[in-house]
Amino acid sequence: MASKAWNKKIVAALAAGAALVSVAGCGNSGSNNGSQAKKATTTDQIIKVDNTEPQSPLVPSNTNEMGGGKVIRYIFEGLVSYDAKGKQHMEVAKSITPNADATQYTIKLNDGWKFTNGEKVTASSFADAWSYAANVKNAQKQSSRMSIIKGYDDLQNPSVAPDAKLSGIEVKDPLTFVVTLKHPDSVFPIQVAHQSFFPLPTVAYKDMKAFGKNPIGDGPYKFKSWQPNTDILVVKNPDYKGSRKVANAGIDYRVYTSEDAAYSDLQSGNLDVMVEVPQSALKTFRSDSTVKAFVQPGSSYQGFVIPESLPHFALGKEGNLRRQAISMAINRKQIVSKIYQNTKTPATDFTSTLVPEHSSKLKNSDNLQYNPTKAKELWKQADEISKFTGTFKIAYNADAAHKPWVDAVSNSLKNTLGIDASGDAYPTFSDIRNQVTDRSIKTAFRSGWMLDYPTAEDYMTPLYSSSAADGHGSNDGDYKNPAFDAALAKALGQTDVAKRTADFRDAQDILLNDLPSIPLWNEDVAAAASTKTKNVQFDYTNLPTYNTITK
């Protein structure tokens, strides 16, 4: 188990190295009995892992939840990837070279990459996929990831042609394309690790929904089958050329609506790896002889979003007072200790200790500290502006272990602020995500975020930038503050690591004042695997490196 400081040093070095540099790449086979033995061995080497049912078909730019994301990241490969230690590896990209002010990048590809249908991966495979993601006519949930590229704003016009492309991408030849940005972005070579930047084969554009149900990628695994609400099976791609070498025959992503049921399967050997043990097992899983336990610092964020559309909570004096009061009314340390046996780390900012820009001493970090006296004062000041009535509800999905913390937070709000507060349970993750996506939800709602690549930018741009609001990204509360957008743009324009870190922290101070979501804690890795498994390790995203696992 790596120490917290060790992990932080690695990621810090990675972020420093990404600042405005050119990134370059580094029996008897004829017998029936023999065939049956081979088949049995292959089946045995399929790794069974827990998952949730994906909200949407498996299209990289239209997936912003982990049920689909866990699968997509293994059936596709992008320009670069990161290993379990946070080291960047060149994959399809041979080099990513910036100009002097980080407003333009020349990307050269390695020759020989193919999709699993035999089609070559070319510059157009990326350029067309990025344009498709950006075009408003395609309504992609990860559209805002392309907002940094020149021409994105033009593609947001409702009357834009369905086949209109990003003007900021120029394909020079089959293995070279140039990307021109709207403003400097020194972390662009890191950002392109995100799944929304994965390439697509030409067949995808004939029927994207059908493609998502039977995807064709270029990753270490290839899609085999999808039984809705049961499982998704992927198998080893023998033609994969990248660094994520596969040690098993495939991955069976099994859908569970109960974490306790998944853990029971793990104990009995019917499941190989579980990403997060249920709350009911937190006291015992470390000493449980039927499983292998894994505990290490993690990066995933847990909190709850209060939509800007919720009465009394819009950006402004009253809304800010109420959000700060709610945050100060929550005793994070007590909840983490009593409910989660200290397998989570109380939030001190909007990032995690696994990125170098993290800080516990920001100007407005006191808003994340338990302070019931001040919370009451702030709520009273807000009531003097406009009296709050009704019940403050926090929606959550009941197919994961959220009820204990939602109840604890609700009780804190009741006891400290003197208001009615309660949880609002939805049967499954997909149920709540569908209402969040179409903006029909009328309450606060739990939110979680898995780090996509190791920089603080990934906690900010997709979650809180104006360009990621209104269904164009993961800004599900539709928070829009020009001051935050400007501070974030300033940070991204810094090619000096120290200055960029300082500017990211300035941007965080704005978030800590406005609290578009209420940070609760970072999810540390608290996972388990079958005793039959070998080579299980967890990366900076809190997820196992499924390709390394054997049994």
Side-chain angles (χ1 to χ4, degrees), residues 270-283:
N270 293 321
L271 189 69
D272 294 317
V273 182
M274 188 171 185
V275 172
E276 184 177 357
V277 299
Q279 190 270 336
S280 60
L282 286 176
K283 288 184 178 180

Side-chain angles (χ1 to χ4, degrees), residues 60 75-78 92 109 112-129 197-205 211 215-219 221-223 237-241:
I75 58 177
F76 288 90
E77 190 66 273
V92 185
L109 307 182
W113 279 76
K114 293 182 179 180
F115 293 102
T116 54
N117 66 348
E119 179 182 329
K120 289 185 177 181
V121 179
T122 67
S124 293
S125 305
F126 288 94
D128 292 345
F197 292 94
F198 288 165
L200 292 176
T202 55
V203 68
Y205 305 103
F211 173 82
I216 296 167
D218 63 331
Y221 294 85
K222 59 182 179 180
F223 177 85
N237 177 9
D239 299 320
Y240 173 70
K241 294 175 63 65

Side-chain angles (χ1 to χ4, degrees), residues 80-103:
V80 302
S81 72
Y82 288 91
D83 63 24
K85 295 180 180 180
K87 179 183 177 182
Q88 188 184 68
H89 294 268
M90 304 307 288
E91 300 294 359
V92 185
K94 184 177 183 180
S95 62
I96 304 174
T97 306
N99 64 356
D101 64 355
T103 58

Side-chain angles (χ1 to χ4, degrees), residues 34 49 71 81 110 156 242 250 261 263 272 309 329 356 422 428 459 481 490 517 522 528:
V49 305
V71 184
S81 72
N110 286 304
Q156 302 314 296
Y263 190 71
D272 294 317
S309 61
S422 67
T428 69
Y459 291 105
N481 186 340
K490 183 182 178 185
S517 69
N522 292 126

